């Protein structure tokens, strides 16, 4: 086999196979570790590069002896026949060089070789931290049993949970005595219902036993935190109505009635919770300065990457209880690590372990039952590729075709074959695409206030798995603008106001913020709508004043919980993009009445997975319109997310190094 040369690494960087940061890592290591060979430097570059695809490390066994990069890569801006590739060393040679090199054979080396997995040391430590901290939290040796009597506990459980909530009651008992509870469930399975009652029980239990408790809640994004607040606020109302029906007088019941208004409902982003320090990758709260809270609750945990989970766990006090909520079947984070998925898989494989006993999975959906079109399609997706009778996804495909056009109690699934081009030969948007977009955006175009605009916008959204290409996000957003644009519409027979797309910040443009701006309290994923500044009912001072367009965002008053809107001058907004359509990854944590999913014609093995399609479909509350070809659907439905990581194994074996 040809030996790798330093020039090979330069060529891979030059053609875009390696990022600047990957290449500069090799330069630094070569300078600091003089005996480093190109084989070792390339291994380090690959460990760094692999994180762009959510992997925590590289698997030497899987890469050894192959050519890299693979020819089907879509990250290289070059023709496949001109793709520069290098032949990687065989497994034994590569491992021997790594094991004997100062790059990874001591506790201070920048790389760690752990069996067949090669890590950057920082990520190896993140993985160790997450595994060891979770196992410690799940250990009965760290139990924090409440002083609440069994009798009082059972009274609270019977009041807060109905007779069918057996799983929820067992979970409530668990969090009273243990430090860790992980709740996994799809949309509509009652995670928030369960959470609100857990909080009510914990607050009441603390009052009964004369304890003071501090409860904090957070989510990965501002949107998810806002939804968490709204859900808990609504659930408090339901609990109040239940309590009003109870006439008997009892100490525990009376305490619960008195304390119901004290149930916390404020939630924030994880960054805000931990205390972001501008210009620093570190947080205010950490192992040396723990977060002062008794109970920490985090929603949408599937979106949390490995480094962030390690920082959360490091910031916990020794006796803090942790409750994580998420969906183990949903997409992983866009950054390294499939943390919630690995935790739940480890628990499934060891159900009798301490970790296994700390996890509750909710299955029944209250939003759409198993017999609804969306429920049936979700179930078919779960079985595809895993069940013996549908290893190739044909049964799931037939189920999609069977459901096409069916409407059951307001729920509907539509299927449409993805055309080669979303534009007709004359350049206008595809007829079917145009029809669906016009139908669903009509109410939004007619909105005249921020409240009306956001309400209408939350009824429909278009998703794509990709940003680039003929079926990618950028193309679709331009198509939607063209479809809704004044210049492309006939003046007659119009029952809505079209877009006038003149200028960057035109009226009714939808934008998404792409970076965090703590000064403005605007965060990555926040949605804004361009509207005139007087649309919120403000009174203008003079008749001659001309209203300017500003960007409106939804907000919630932390004190009252009341929804409102705030506006910013257009030139103040952090980096952003048009967002009539969004990527499936960005859709996590959101819900819309109706959605359109456009899957490209060309397959993408690394991105098109069962979890991606499941996440997209379950964003819908009522109707799914899936544009997808048979071959792509079957391949996507049978392909599971792969994240090279040792977390699951570490949780199972409690490996340390």
């Amino acid at each position: 086999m040809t030996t790798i040369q330093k020039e090979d690494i330069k060529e891979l960087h030059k053609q875009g196979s390696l990022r600047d940061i990957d290449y500069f890592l090799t330069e630094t290591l070569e300078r600091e570790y003089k005996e480093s060979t190109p084989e070792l430097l390339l291994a380090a570059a690959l460990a760094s590069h692999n994180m762009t695809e959510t992997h925590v490390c590289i698997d030497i066994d899987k890469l050894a002896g192959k050519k890299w990069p693979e020819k089907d890569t879509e990250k290289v801006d070059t023709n496949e026949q001109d793709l520069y590739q290098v032949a990687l060393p065989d497994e034994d040679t590569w491992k021997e060089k790594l094991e004997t090199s100062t790059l990874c054979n001591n506790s201070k080396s920048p790389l760690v070789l752990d069996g067949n997995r090669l890590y950057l040391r920082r990520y190896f430590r993140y993985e160790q931290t997450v595994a060891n901290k979770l196992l410690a939290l799940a250990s009965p040796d760290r139990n924090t049993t409440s002083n609440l009597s069994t009798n009082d506990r059972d009274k609270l459980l019977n009041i807060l949970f109905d007779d069918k909530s057996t799983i929820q009651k067992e979970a409530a008992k668990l969090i009273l005595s243990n430090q860790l509870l992980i709740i996994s469930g799809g949309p509509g399975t009652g995670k928030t219902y369960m959470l609100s009652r857990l909080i009510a029980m914990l607050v009441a239990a603390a009052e009964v036993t004369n304890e003071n408790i501090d409860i904090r809640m957070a989510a990965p994004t501002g949107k998810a935190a806002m939804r968490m607040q709204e859900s808990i606020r609504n659930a408090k109302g339901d609990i109040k109505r239940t309590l009003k029906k109870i006439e008997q007088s009892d100490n525990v019941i009376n305490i619960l009635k008195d304390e119901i208004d004290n149930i916390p409902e404020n939630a924030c982003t994880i960054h805000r919770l931990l205390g972001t320090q501008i210009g620093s990758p570190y947080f205010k709260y950490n192992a040396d300065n723990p977060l002062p809270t008794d109970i920490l609750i985090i929603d949408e945990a599937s979106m949390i990457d490995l480094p962030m989970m390690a920082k959360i766990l490091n910031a916990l006090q020794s006796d803090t209880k942790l409750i994580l909520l998420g969906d183990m079947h949903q997409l992983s984070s866009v950054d390294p690590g499939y943390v919630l998925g690995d935790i739940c898989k480890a628990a499934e494989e060891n159900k009798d372990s301490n970790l296994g006993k700390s996890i509750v999975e909710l299955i029944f959906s209250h939003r759409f039952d198993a017999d609804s079109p969306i429920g049936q399609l979700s179930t078919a997706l779960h079985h595809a590729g895993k069940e013996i009778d549908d290893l190739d996804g044909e049964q799931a495909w037939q189920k999609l075709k069977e459901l096409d056009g069916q409407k059951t109690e307001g729920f509907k699934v539509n299927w449409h074959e993805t055309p080669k081009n979303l534009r007709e030969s004359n350049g206008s948007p595809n007829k079917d695409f145009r029809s669906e977009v016009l139908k669903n955006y009509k109410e939004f175009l007619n909105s005249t206030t921020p409240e009306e605009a956001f309400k209408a916008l939350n009824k429909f959204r278009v998703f794509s798995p990709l940003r680039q290409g003929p079926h990618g996000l950028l193309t679709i957003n331009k198509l939607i603008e063209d479809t809704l644009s004044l210049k492309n519409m006939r003046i007659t027979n119009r029952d809505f106001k079209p877009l006038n797309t003149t200028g960057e910040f035109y009226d009714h443009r939808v934008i998404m913020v792409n970076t965090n701006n703590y000064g403005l309290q605007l965060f990555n994923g926040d949605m804004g709508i361009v509207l005139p500044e007087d649309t919120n009912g403000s009174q203008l001072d003079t008749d001659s004043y001309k209203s300017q367009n500003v960007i409106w965002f939804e907000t919630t008053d932390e004190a009252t919980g009341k929804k409102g809107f705030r506006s910013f001058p257009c030139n103040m907004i952090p980096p952003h993009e048009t967002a009539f359509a969004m990527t499936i990854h960005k859709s996590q944590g959101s819900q819309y009445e109706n959605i359109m999913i456009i899957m490209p014609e060309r397959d993408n093995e690394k991105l098109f997975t069962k979890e991606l399609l499941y996440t997209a479909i379950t964003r819908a509350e009522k109707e799914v319109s899936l544009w997808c070809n048979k071959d792509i659907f079957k391949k996507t439905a049978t392909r599971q997310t792969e994240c090279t990581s040792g977390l699951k194994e570490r949780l199972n074996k409690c490996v340390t190094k």
Side-chain angles (χ1 to χ4, degrees), residues 455-524:
K455 183 178 179 181
L457 185 64
N458 289 332
K459 290 183 177 180
F460 177 69
R461 198 58 57 88
V462 183
F463 299 150
S464 170
L466 301 176
R467 287 185 56 80
Q468 307 286 345
H471 302 91
L473 175 70
L474 301 181
T475 298
I476 292 171
N477 270 313
K478 185 64 174 67
L479 281 164
I480 294 174
E481 285 182 317
D482 288 352
T483 298
L484 305 178
S485 173
L486 177 67
K487 64 184 178 183
N488 293 316
M489 277 191 199
R490 289 174 293 185
I491 300 208
T492 57
N493 300 322
R494 218 171 48 215
D495 58 352
F496 56 90
K497 179 184 176 183
L499 295 177
N500 182 350
T501 55
T502 303
E504 181 181 1
F505 295 104
Y506 57 82
D507 190 2
H508 278 70
R509 181 190 174 202
V510 180
I511 67 117
M512 176 186 285
V513 175
N514 289 333
T515 59
N516 295 331
N517 187 308
Y518 295 94
L520 297 177
Q521 289 295 292
L522 291 175
F523 302 98
N524 186 6

Side-chain angles (χ1 to χ4, degrees), residues 85-140:
Q85 295 176 290
V86 296
L88 300 176
D90 65 80
E91 180 185 336
D92 293 338
T93 301
W94 217 359
K95 281 187 177 179
E96 183 181 351
K97 285 180 177 290
L98 286 165
E99 288 168 351
T100 57
S101 168
T102 54
L103 277 174
C104 61
N105 68 1
N106 65 68
S107 61
K108 294 183 179 179
S109 58
L111 304 178
V112 176
L113 182 63
D114 186 41
N116 61 309
R117 295 185 296 270
L118 182 70
Y119 298 79
L120 297 184
R121 179 164 291 278
R122 181 156 54 107
Y123 283 82
F124 180 77
R125 285 175 177 160
Y126 285 146
E127 193 173 274
Q128 275 189 318
T129 296
V130 171
N132 293 338
K133 295 277 186 182
L134 283 172
L135 290 171
L137 285 170
S139 171

